[in-house]
Amino acid sequence: ENVNQVHRTGYHFQPPRHWINDPNAPMYYKGLYHLFYQYNPKGAVWGNIVWAHSVSKDLINWESLEPAIYPSKWFDNYGCWSGSATVLPNGEPVIFYTGIVDKNNSQIQNYAIPANLSDPYLREWVKPDDNPIVNPDANVNGSAFRDPTTAWWADGHWRILIGSRRKHRGVAYLYRSKDFKKWVKAKHPLHSVQGTGMWECPDFYPVSLSGENGLDPSVMGQNVKHVLKVSLDMTRYEYYTMGTYDKKEDKYFPDEGLVDGWAGLRLDYGNFYASKTFFDPSTNRRILWGWANESDDPHKDKDKGWAGIQLIPRKVWLDPSGKQLLQWPVAELEKLRGHNVQLSNQMLDQGNHVEVKVITAAQADVDVTFSFSSLDKAEPFDPNWDKLDALDVCAQKGSKDPGGLGPFGLLTLASENLEEFTPVFFRVFKAADKHKVLLCSDARSSSLGKELYKPSFAGFVDVDLTDKKLSLRSLIDHSVVESFGAGGRIAISSRVYPTIAVFEKAHLYVFNNGSEAITVENLNAWSMNTPVMNVPVKS
Ligand code: FRU
């Protein structure tokens, strides 16, 4: 096997080889979590797309099955693209997916059902002959019409969304059905936004206004808000808004003050795309899956024999403020925690970096709370930065440029002499009326390797600083650093390819390059064990 394993992840989801992209139709059925995903069974580049299929009891250890959906009919002969599952009230799952019907990538929507409902593995899927369920009409752009959502039910009708665009306007078309078979396009889309381009992989779901529990897709009412997330083909970022779903008009209205477009809230400010949530009735959580592509030259993907990972599934819920979502890696991940190292009340003066001696710094979970005694030294916020993406602010300021309050944080996947490191850090700024907190995951110093994409991913996080604390959790796994700032108020994922800082040559440090002293109040780091990852199910 000529698969180069240096950058292979240890506990992130991936098959043994070949290309993967979007997570599809995640669901819980008869005691098992199912994950399907876009997969090229023939190589490490995009193409020949089928739905690969894996199952898990805990979202962390995965067993693989044969592909569930693959080209076999006139209505999907050129590819089986992304889609979603709906678990009907009688417990039966149905998959909707996009079928490609010709060389021009013409798109229609199909359904598939399990051949044997008593098989908890749902190994075999049937595509009935009354497919497709939706054909594009004359007003729809037939090569930009895909990625059906999970269905929800309201007032006698099922509904689904299909992502699309009309010229430059991103559109979520709405289709309705009484019987789950015959689907009719609604007069108006659920929502659309000028200038945002193709909306891939829309996701639309209710969130509770109180507490962290997830909701079934059809829950509506007083205590509920809705979330609409889309993946923007143009920028390769996703954005979401919260708002009101008016089921009479069948329209979605984002809340006042939220930005509807590429400058809006993101689920992740880094490498995270085509994400999808599902409701897990066994634990009452809503769980989010997202895909992280490689950030190196596609030739290297071919050399290593694989490309793409799924990030760690995250629980999502509404922040009590109602102004954003919160996210946290599913608790099951903590079962993989091994050797533990702690730091407490560790002072970091300007210029300090202190090693955290985890056993496997290349495969670790770190959770740290920093504190400081004053906000006075926060650097001024340049009003021109309001026009920039946070990533550009991060690029200007970096992790080394001395600041006031920050930069401080972690140096992950660092070589001993810091020729390579991926810093994940905060910088606090003082704007006219408030403080602005930047979290940055800066890949620019991550590798001495050539032809890599090394973006300075960053986002501003809306966090209350009255207790003068900032927390950070980073999931480090060889070629990915997945970070959660301020208790899940922001997430940033980076793919990085160190050449020196690999395996036991990878180190982990806490650092501060700001003039305000920082205290590591409490830090826990764990070496992470390797789960069962896509070993075939024994039949
Ligand atoms: C998103 C996407 C979807 C499409 C699928 C094809 O990454 O482009 O819109 O269904 O991937 O693999």
Side-chain angles (χ1 to χ4, degrees):
E1 197 77 353
N2 65 346
V3 172
N4 177 353
Q5 302 292 338
V6 179
H7 295 125
R8 232 183 128 72
T9 59
Y11 60 94
H12 280 74
F13 182 100
Q14 57 180 167
R17 59 189 68 78
H18 300 328
W19 166 273
I20 78 170
N21 56 295
D22 316 0
N24 291 151
M27 70 171 137
Y28 182 81
Y29 183 72
K30 288 197 198 279
L32 289 174
Y33 293 101
H34 290 253
L35 182 67
F36 306 84
Y37 54 96
Q38 298 277 288
Y39 179 62
N40 180 355
K42 294 184 181 157
V45 295
W46 186 88
N48 315 304
I49 293 294
V50 304
W51 280 43
H53 183 193
S54 298
V55 290
S56 171
K57 290 199 170 85
D58 60 7
L59 294 162
I60 300 299
N61 292 279
W62 290 92
E63 294 182 295
S64 63
L65 295 155
E66 290 302 308
I69 298 177
Y70 44 85
S72 67
K73 303 266 187 179
W74 72 265
F75 51 77
D76 66 7
N77 244 336
Y78 289 79
C80 298
W81 289 12
S82 285
S84 308
T86 304
V87 181
L88 296 175
N90 66 5
E92 299 183 11
V94 179
I95 281 174
F96 291 158
Y97 70 100
T98 299
I100 305 299
V101 296
D102 60 25
K103 289 201 176 89
N104 305 325
N105 282 342
S106 296
Q107 297 160 20
I108 58 179
Q109 319 311 321
N110 302 317
Y111 78 107
I113 52 176
N116 176 6
L117 285 163
S118 64
D119 172 20
Y121 292 98
L122 298 173
R123 283 183 174 84
E124 207 188 315
W125 290 77
V126 181
K127 300 181 280 197
D129 287 332
D130 56 349
N131 270 304
I133 54 160
V134 172
N135 272 307
D137 62 43
N139 300 317
V140 162
N141 179 341
S143 58
F145 184 60
R146 58 180 178 271
D147 308 340
T149 63
T150 296
W152 72 96
W153 192 90
D155 291 348
H157 282 95
W158 289 98
R159 290 144 161 98
I160 55 170
L161 300 179
I162 298 169
S164 189
R165 69 178 165 82
R166 224 163 31 216
K167 299 235 169 78
H168 300 295
R169 175 178 285 273
V171 182
Y173 285 118
L174 180 72
Y175 283 76
R176 284 192 283 250
S177 174
K178 282 196 177 134
D179 57 5
F180 222 79
K181 289 210 141 65
K182 187 168 184 280
W183 292 85
V184 178
K185 191 174 167 211
K187 229 190 264 152
H188 305 283
L190 182 86
H191 194 51
S192 72
V193 178
Q194 182 51 41
T196 51
M198 173 66 193
W199 284 4
E200 297 188 310
C201 302
D203 195 15
F204 183 61
Y205 52 92
V207 285
S208 171
L209 281 170
S210 52
E212 301 182 8
N213 280 350
L215 299 172
D216 176 273
S218 300
V219 172
M220 321 252 148
Q222 285 299 302
N223 203 28
V224 163
K225 259 200 179 312
H226 275 78
V227 175
L228 178 63
K229 182 280 306 183
V230 297
S231 305
L232 297 187
D233 190 23
M234 272 163 49
T235 57
R236 306 304 288 174
Y237 287 120
E238 303 193 308
Y239 85 89
Y240 72 92
T241 54
M242 261 93 43
T244 306
Y245 170 50
D246 177 338
K247 60 180 176 164
K248 287 261 147 52
E249 277 198 52
D250 244 338
K251 280 197 156 194
Y252 168 76
F253 300 97
D255 283 349
E256 210 42 63
L258 292 180
V259 179
D260 208 4
W262 65 270
L265 290 166
R266 294 186 201 162
L267 288 171
D268 191 298
Y269 288 77
N271 186 335
F272 184 89
Y273 198 70
S275 76
K276 190 175 299 294
T277 62
F278 73 105
F279 175 60
D280 171 13
S282 72
T283 59
N284 284 319
R285 290 175 294 185
R286 182 161 287 274
I287 296 170
L288 168 69
W289 280 102
W291 161 57
N293 196 2
E294 300 305 306
S295 296
D296 62 358
D297 183 319
H299 287 108
K300 293 202 205 123
D301 296 345
K302 282 195 191 163
D303 293 344
K304 64 187 200 297
W306 59 274
I309 60 172
Q310 307 297 350
L311 293 172
I312 298 299
R314 305 167 180 180
K315 178 173 126 168
V316 282
W317 69 102
L318 186 66
D319 182 58
S321 74
K323 288 190 181 146
Q324 66 164 98
L325 294 174
L326 300 176
Q327 302 173 60
W328 201 245
V330 293
E332 288 90 332
L333 180 68
E334 294 163 27
K335 293 197 297 188
L336 296 179
R337 287 173 171 173
H339 179 74
N340 168 243
V341 186
Q342 277 192 305
L343 286 182
S344 52
N345 292 316
Q346 168 77 54
M347 274 285 268
L348 296 173
D349 287 323
Q350 184 161 29
N352 287 168
H353 68 282
V354 172
E355 181 157 12
V356 182
K357 296 202 167 163
V358 223
I359 291 179
T360 58
Q363 190 173 319
D365 180 353
V366 200
D367 198 1
V368 51
T369 303
F370 299 99
S371 67
F372 36 90
S373 51
S374 154
L375 292 162
D376 292 347
K377 291 186 185 151
E379 303 164 80
F381 182 82
D382 180 343
N384 289 318
W385 291 343
D386 274 331
K387 291 176 221 125
L388 300 181
D389 191 287
L391 157 157
D392 297 317
V393 179
C394 175
Q396 278 186 32
K397 304 298 288 186
S399 63
K400 290 186 194 156
D401 220 32
L405 184 46
F408 63 85
L410 299 169
L411 304 178
T412 71
L413 296 171
S415 59
E416 193 174 3
N417 299 317
L418 300 183
E419 298 94 338
E420 297 181 330
F421 58 98
T422 301
V424 184
F425 58 95
F426 292 105
R427 287 191 93 118
V428 181
F429 300 99
K430 176 113 185 62
D433 51 342
K434 59 170 189 212
H435 287 90
K436 291 213 181 205
V437 179
L438 183 73
L439 180 65
C440 193
S441 175
D442 188 356
R444 291 175 302 164
S445 50
S446 61
S447 175
L448 300 178
K450 299 266 176 328
E451 282 159 8
L452 299 168
Y453 171 51
K454 298 190 282 190
S456 52
F457 286 136
F460 286 99
V461 48
D462 184 12
V463 53
D464 182 358
L465 291 174
T466 42
D467 63 357
K468 303 193 187 69
K469 284 181 195 186
L470 281 168
S471 68
L472 177 63
R473 175 150 178 222
S474 289
L475 307 176
I476 302 159
D477 195 4
H478 302 276
S479 62
V480 61
V481 180
E482 197 178 347
S483 300
F484 299 83
R489 306 185 71 80
I490 183 169
I492 311 182
S493 301
S494 297
R495 296 300 310 278
V496 292
Y497 307 89
T499 60
I500 308 170
V502 299
F503 297 123
E504 62 289 340
K505 297 219 176 69
H507 298 259
L508 174 68
Y509 302 89
V510 284
F511 81 100
N512 174 29
N513 285 329
S515 55
E516 174 75 32
I518 300 294
T519 304
V520 177
E521 257 198 14
N522 193 31
L523 177 148
N524 274 287
W526 294 268
S527 293
M528 290 296 270
N529 293 315
T530 300
V532 174
M533 189 48 70
N534 283 317
V535 173
V537 169
K538 286 187 211 81
S539 44

